[in-house]
Amino acid sequence: MKSKIPLMPENKKNQKKSHQASIIYLIIIAFILSGVYVLSNQTPATTVTEINYSTFLSQANGQQIDSLSFTDDRINITLKDGKEEYTVKDPRATPYDLLNDIPLENRQNLNIDIIDSSQSDFWLNLFMQILPFLLIVGFLIFLMRHAQNSNNQALSFGQSKARIYDNNANKKTTFQDVAGSKEAKEELVEIVDFLKNPAKYTAIGAKIPKGVLLIGHPGTGKTLLARAVAGEANVPFFSISGSEFVEMFVGVGASRVRDLFKKAKRNAPCIIFIDEIDAVGRHRGAGLGGGHDEREQTLNQILTEMDGFEVNDNVIIMAATNRPDVLDPALLRPGRFDRRITVDLPTLEERKEILNVHARNKPLVKNIDLRVIARHTPGFSGADLENIMNEAAILAAKKGEKKIDQLDIEKSVEKVMMGPERKSKILSEKEKKITAYHEVGHALVAHNIPECDPVQKISIISRGMALGVTWFLPEEDYMLYSKSKFEGEICSLLGGYVAEQIMFKETTTGPSNDLERATKIAKNMVTKFAMSDIGLTIFGGGQQEVFLGRDYASHTKDYSEKSAEQIDYQVNVILESAYNKTKTILIKNKKKLCEIAEYLLKKETITREEFLNFFKTKEAIVA
Ligand code: ADP
Ligand code: MG
Ligand code: ZN
């Protein structure tokens, strides 16, 4: 995966680094030396005792001294019995002055040594005097180099920072690494073939496409697919991210584009890959908030360069985006990015395959069922699934297991969906009880409405913001939602609220998120899907995402006050009727509600089987 190599030669970079390092070493050595100097100048820690001058004189007169040596500020004394002493002397007094204090007959046998301390310290002193200059010079050199580096950087600004993928690396990405996305791969195989045998296509007059645009949600594997094309085609592959075109200085982007295309032409046949092209390819003239001039220039340059390519240049430009709606139409017209490949969120089968790909280098226990995991994860992207397998491996490693088991993966799905369990969050008995009834309320209502997904698990261990969680497990991925499915969903969302109301006579802040979601579904039913009595009109233009600029105007309300009132009324009708239905279900099942909630309070987590058991026993008794 990490097979990118920078275009700048490694050794040049290293050289630069080692220069800087040696200067830093020089400075450190200088500091150490000066430290040594300071230490060496301190009084030696000793067995040599200090005596005062009169003691010295009396020792001299008693002829106890064997030898003397004079330094600047001391007299070092060696006694005849081998003991060593010193006494402090006035630096201005010469040895001759001092010796005069001792009568001649007492100093005749003394060995006298005069040490010129200025001599011995000559080199050190010299060094200490030069040191500050050395430091300053070193610092200056350091600064100059630094400045030079940034100069170089400024000069190379206009060059593209495109990276070439190393096709020789043994870990190159191929289509094998991309699970699912069958249609996308089929289209891309064609591109690979264009690059490998261009003659085959040009011979019968087929034009080789210039631009391929990969469109899809984040994490669906667009970048991965582009890398796989590079790996399969075995041609040079220049990869750059849209945001890299845009820098501090105006004009840099355009010049980078020029440079990139020039490089590519020299290396043809090859692929240019522009990741996250929406960073530069936005609708021109939509620049609210400034800075759009630079982007426009960059985009214009890309368009010009793409037109400048000849059919037989054999350079294919790939780009990826998750916001095709904001791209400038000029990018999308024929002759530019006219091949558009949509990379969808993976289906159930594809999720299983992706899980398989990411389980390849992980030890799993034998009987693991990745299909169940795939069923748990509708709407997950390839990147999410990769994350799940990784989290599972971490969980298993934490527990000290050698292999990953089903439970590890299921736990990691829950963690990725809801955040980690927060066992430290202590709820009071009352709060726990309310949470238990609330969650069982969701589950019971869903169980009693055929359109609702089956209950998978109920838990009152808090996670992230939620105090409790009820999981549902859809049988398969839905492409279409019916009105009754929406209504069922609203009912099960209201289940928590109604359960609290029935059991405790008042409600808490707990259901606020549930109510918000229920309201949103109801609103969408009215304004987007014409599922209410209000008629066929769609309100709000179906616009969801705000792109500052282009859609600015269309985001103001496009319906009258009267319609707004009607919408509010219809939303309320939907919620009201769902509320009544929910209440009926829960009152009818109040006994079950209590039974299951009390069980949940004891166990904290109930599995699907345990939940279903509550209904089996009854049926068994009836039968
Ligand atoms: P995008 O560029 O579409 O946002 P990436 O290509 O960067 O997504 O995908 C992120 C990661 O998710 C990849 O590195 C890969 O490990 C994983 N992934 C995504 N889709 C797939 C897939 N179809 N098969 C295998 N792995 C995938
Ligand atoms: Mg990407
Ligand atoms: Zn709830």
Side-chain angles (χ1 to χ4, degrees), residues 438-439 442 468-470 492-493 495-497 500 510-514 517:
H438 175 110
E439 295 306 329
H442 286 309
V469 185
T470 306
S492 96
L493 278 169
Y497 175 85
E500 286 184 27
S512 90
N513 180 260
D514 296 335
R517 276 165 61 197

Side-chain angles (χ1 to χ4, degrees), residues 164-209:
I164 287 196
Y165 282 96
D166 185 2
N167 283 326
N168 299 322
N170 41 13
K171 246 194 101 186
K172 73 177 178 185
T173 314
T174 63
F175 283 142
Q176 293 255 304
D177 297 308
V178 190
S181 327
K182 208 165 142 234
E183 292 82 8
K185 275 199 277 190
E186 263 166 24
E187 295 247 0
L188 289 172
V189 164
E190 218 171 85
I191 304 291
V192 171
D193 201 36
F194 282 143
L195 284 165
K196 279 186 168 163
N197 324 297
K200 185 166 116 191
Y201 294 90
T202 45
I204 59 167
K207 255 199 204 159
I208 292 176

Side-chain angles (χ1 to χ4, degrees), residues 32 62 64 70 99 103 113 194 248 280 294 335 379 410 414 418 437 480 486 497 555 588 595-596 602 609 611 620:
I32 292 174
Q64 294 170 7
F70 290 88
L99 286 172
D113 192 6
F194 282 143
M248 234 176 333
V280 287
E294 169 65 354
E410 267 166 32
E414 289 170 11
M418 302 290 306
Y437 278 91
L480 294 174
F486 278 137
Y497 175 85
H555 261 270
K588 216 170 107 193
E595 268 175 43
I596 304 175
K602 259 186 276 154
E609 283 69 39
F611 180 73

Side-chain angles (χ1 to χ4, degrees), residues 379-452:
F380 274 44
S381 69
D384 295 329
L385 295 169
E386 182 188 14
N387 187 18
I388 281 175
M389 290 310 286
N390 191 45
E391 285 285 344
I394 291 172
L395 264 178
K398 253 195 205 160
K399 284 194 277 177
E401 294 169 348
K402 289 272 178 301
K403 289 185 169 177
I404 302 168
D405 58 31
Q406 189 88 18
L407 198 70
D408 292 329
I409 308 182
E410 267 166 32
K411 282 232 145 147
S412 102
V413 172
E414 289 170 11
K415 188 176 166 192
V416 169
M417 270 199 210
M418 302 290 306
E421 289 183 354
R422 281 170 47 186
K423 292 212 165 131
S424 61
K425 191 165 180 173
I426 310 280
L427 299 183
S428 70
E429 281 309 308
K430 175 89 180 169
E431 283 170 329
K432 246 186 171 166
K433 196 166 173 182
I434 294 174
T435 309
Y437 278 91
H438 175 110
E439 295 306 329
V440 175
H442 286 309
L444 256 183
V445 173
H447 186 76
N448 280 286
I449 297 178
E451 285 83 13
C452 286

Side-chain angles (χ1 to χ4, degrees), residues 8 62 70 75 86 134 151 186 188 198 343 380 398 402 418 472 510 570 583:
M8 181 178 194
F70 290 88
I75 308 170
Y86 72 88
L134 277 182
N151 260 346
E186 263 166 24
L188 289 172
V343 189
F380 274 44
K398 253 195 205 160
K402 289 272 178 301
M418 302 290 306
F472 298 95
Q570 291 297 339
K583 198 162 183 177

